[in-house]
């Protein structure tokens, strides 16, 4: 344990540089994951498949900070996909799949 009770689990993070090719690969993985989600949820697919706003996927939280500062380290990649609103269902997030 570090001073102040902080954990020093350095092995939990990667400090490798995130490059453009990594972001391209992440976008491809996110697209495949989204398609699997729609395949498992046909009702939601009808509502949201054609409402995805663009094909861009946002790099979020700690991985985004690491992309900018190169020092934060990466525990995981939080990837978000955005879609336009539909009034036929309540807001959906990935944990509901």
């Amino acid at each position: 344990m570090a001073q102040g009770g902080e954990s020093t689990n350095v092995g939990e993070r990667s400090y490798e540089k995130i490059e453009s090719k990594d972001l391209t690969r992440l976008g491809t993985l996110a697209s495949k994951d989204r398609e699997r989600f729609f395949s498992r949820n046909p009702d939601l697919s009808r509502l949201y498949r054609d409402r995805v706003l663009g094909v861009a996927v946002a790099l979020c939280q700690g991985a985004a900070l690491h992309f900018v500062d190169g020092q934060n380290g990466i525990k995981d990649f939080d990837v978000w996909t955005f879609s336009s609103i539909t009034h036929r269902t309540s807001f959906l997030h990935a944990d509901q799949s």
Side-chain angles (χ1 to χ4, degrees):
M1 292 288 251
Q3 286 184 329
E6 295 175 280
S7 176
T8 57
N9 294 327
V10 176
E12 292 183 9
R13 293 184 183 268
S14 170
Y15 291 88
E16 291 186 40
K17 182 178 179 179
I18 301 172
E19 299 180 358
S20 294
K21 65 180 180 166
D22 301 317
L23 298 177
T24 299
R25 175 80 174 125
L26 191 60
T28 299
L29 292 170
S31 178
K32 289 178 181 180
D33 183 61
R34 187 172 49 252
E35 288 307 312
R36 283 191 301 271
F37 173 82
F38 286 143
S39 293
R40 291 188 314 269
N41 299 281
D43 291 341
L44 295 173
S45 177
R46 283 189 287 279
L47 292 172
Y48 289 101
R49 183 184 297 271
D50 295 331
R51 300 181 79 85
V52 173
L53 298 174
V55 294
V57 178
L59 184 62
C60 305
Q61 298 184 12
L65 180 58
H66 182 74
F67 182 73
V68 172
D69 73 11
Q71 296 183 20
N72 186 62
I74 307 160
K75 271 186 140 174
D76 58 14
F77 288 96
D78 297 297
V79 179
W80 296 40
T81 299
F82 300 92
S83 59
S84 59
I85 294 173
T86 175
H87 297 289
R88 292 184 263 168
T89 188
S90 60
F91 178 74
L92 170 74
H93 56 82
D95 291 342
Q96 292 177 327
S97 62

